[in-house]
Amino acid sequence: MNRSIATYGEALALMMVDDGLPLHRAGHFRRSITGAEVNVAVALARLGHNVRWLGRLGDDSAGHAVLRFLRAESIDISHVGVDSARPTGMLVRDSYASDAMITIDYYRQNSAASASTYTELKPGWLDGVELLHLTGITAMLSPTAPAMVNALIDLAQQRAITVSFDPNIRRKLAPIERWQAVVAPLLERADIVIAGDDEVHVLTGQEPMSWAHRSVNDGYGTAVPGPNLQAGKTVVLKHPDKSSTAITADSKHSQAALPTQLIDPIGAGDAFAAGYLSGISCGLPLQQCLHRAALLGARAVTTRTDTDGLPTAADIQAYERQQEVMR
């Protein structure tokens, strides 16, 4: 069986200011598609992986645009749910080179994705899957969302599917106390955690590196990795200087930030996660997984939308050949 990587989450219509003005003065917008798990899925698909996106969309123009976009990226959408009573969510934003300046407005309350419930989960969703990637955003969409995320993790663990988790904290979605109550326990359930130092500190109240070492040694995460995946728990920490560290029970690897031309920082974390998961799925050593993650993160910020800058497998090979020549 040709095994796949699956993501589950919310796809959003992205309306981005097209004229460089702040959001409250904008008059022209460019439409695109976004969503943390969608970004990861697209990045992995462009690298040649078999990818399945799971989620719910409204039966509206935005929902149909999402399906066309994912289909064009060769992503499996055969299990996507369509809700005729609720809309596809939307995100409206401006664009600057500093995320501290970017204004984002979400329109996702009562969206099709927010109505997800574990009673809809079907075992076939994860047929042929070796790795499942989730984020804290999905768990925070509604009161029913945490049960769905936990049910997916249950199903993955029953099938020996490795679970990857990125907390991806978005403070506009809920108070931080809610994030701590809902998302912190998910860090313990995952086999691979990819998180910023600040996110780990906020969610656990602990120093990130200390928490990471305790987590990998306490044996959190119960899935049995597939044939191409690393054994045991792994925590990947993203540091403020854009460097990163991967920690397992018996190893530690570090990766410096790669030079890049920063146009827009949004989407870098999703690209980083996809790069790391690509390396893991390909059976690469952890150091190479971190490097691929850093490379995708560096490429993602060179364009204004979350997915325009994501490289193909040929792009990665060309870059690696260039690096060999430079050595």
Side-chain angles (χ1 to χ4, degrees):
M1 183 181 294
N2 197 5
R3 304 184 71 82
S4 303
I5 301 172
T7 70
Y8 177 87
E10 182 173 31
L12 300 156
L14 169 62
M15 302 299 293
M16 179 179 289
V17 176
D18 199 33
D19 50 16
L21 293 174
L23 187 56
H24 68 277
R25 294 181 55 205
H28 298 89
F29 294 82
R30 173 187 176 186
R31 188 175 79 169
S32 183
I33 306 299
T34 191
E37 297 83 3
V38 167
N39 297 339
V40 171
V42 171
L44 287 166
R46 289 189 187 170
L47 293 178
H49 296 277
N50 295 312
V51 185
R52 179 177 303 161
W53 180 76
L54 303 165
R56 302 177 89 251
L57 298 168
D59 188 11
D60 50 22
S61 59
H64 295 302
V66 170
L67 292 175
R68 285 195 300 272
F69 174 70
L70 296 176
R71 193 178 294 115
E73 296 288 347
S74 300
I75 292 170
D76 178 0
I77 53 174
S78 59
H79 298 280
V80 173
V82 177
D83 189 331
S84 60
R86 298 176 180 84
T88 302
M90 183 170 65
L91 184 156
V92 183
R93 56 158 296 201
D94 48 22
S95 178
Y96 298 98
S98 168
D99 55 3
M101 297 176 61
I102 294 172
T103 298
I104 299 176
D105 289 341
Y106 292 112
Y107 299 90
R108 63 203 320 173
Q109 188 174 6
N110 298 318
S111 68
S114 72
S116 64
T117 170
Y118 74 94
T119 59
E120 297 177 336
L121 193 157
K122 295 178 174 58
W125 287 7
L126 298 185
D127 283 355
V129 169
E130 70 172 1
L131 191 153
L132 171 67
H133 180 69
L134 302 165
T135 78
I137 292 173
T138 304
M140 299 302 293
L141 289 178
S142 69
T144 62
M148 169 62 95
V149 171
N150 277 287
L152 270 168
I153 294 175
D154 289 342
L155 179 60
Q157 291 179 341
Q158 291 165 14
R159 295 190 170 198
I161 295 169
T162 298
V163 176
S164 166
F165 185 76
D166 180 349
N168 223 326
I169 293 177
R170 296 291 181 267
R171 291 177 182 256
K172 280 193 172 184
L173 283 177
I176 202 62
E177 293 79 12
R178 176 70 175 161
W179 282 88
Q180 291 167 339
V182 172
V183 175
L186 298 175
L187 298 177
E188 301 180 359
R189 300 203 67 194
D191 303 291
I192 300 171
V193 173
I194 303 172
D197 284 346
D198 56 337
E199 293 177 314
V200 171
H201 180 71
V202 164
L203 292 174
T204 70
Q206 300 178 40
E207 192 278 324
M209 195 67 71
S210 297
W211 174 84
H213 282 290
R214 278 193 291 270
S215 181
V216 299
N217 285 296
D218 285 346
Y220 293 144
T222 59
V224 178
N228 295 324
L229 304 187
Q230 299 286 337
K233 174 101 172 186
T234 303
V235 173
V236 181
L237 294 176
K238 297 177 289 182
H239 309 306
D241 64 356
K242 310 305 179 187
S243 65
S244 57
T245 306
I247 302 103
T248 70
D250 55 8
S251 70
K252 178 179 174 181
H253 305 268
S254 297
Q255 170 66 48
L258 298 179
T260 189
Q261 180 182 9
L262 178 60
I263 302 298
D264 188 294
I266 303 299
D270 301 329
F272 179 96
Y276 185 82
L277 297 178
S278 170
I280 288 295
S281 186
C282 290
L284 300 181
L286 288 187
Q287 190 65 54
Q288 292 182 36
C289 295
L290 279 180
H291 185 267
R292 181 169 291 191
L295 175 58
L296 261 69
R299 287 292 297 269
V301 303
T302 61
T303 59
R304 296 184 67 214
T305 74
D306 296 354
T307 57
D308 281 354
L310 296 174
T312 64
D315 294 332
I316 296 290
Q317 292 168 2
Y319 173 84
E320 291 173 345
R321 286 195 298 269
Q322 182 184 42
Q323 294 302 301
E324 285 295 329
V325 171
M326 292 176 63
R327 292 192 189 104

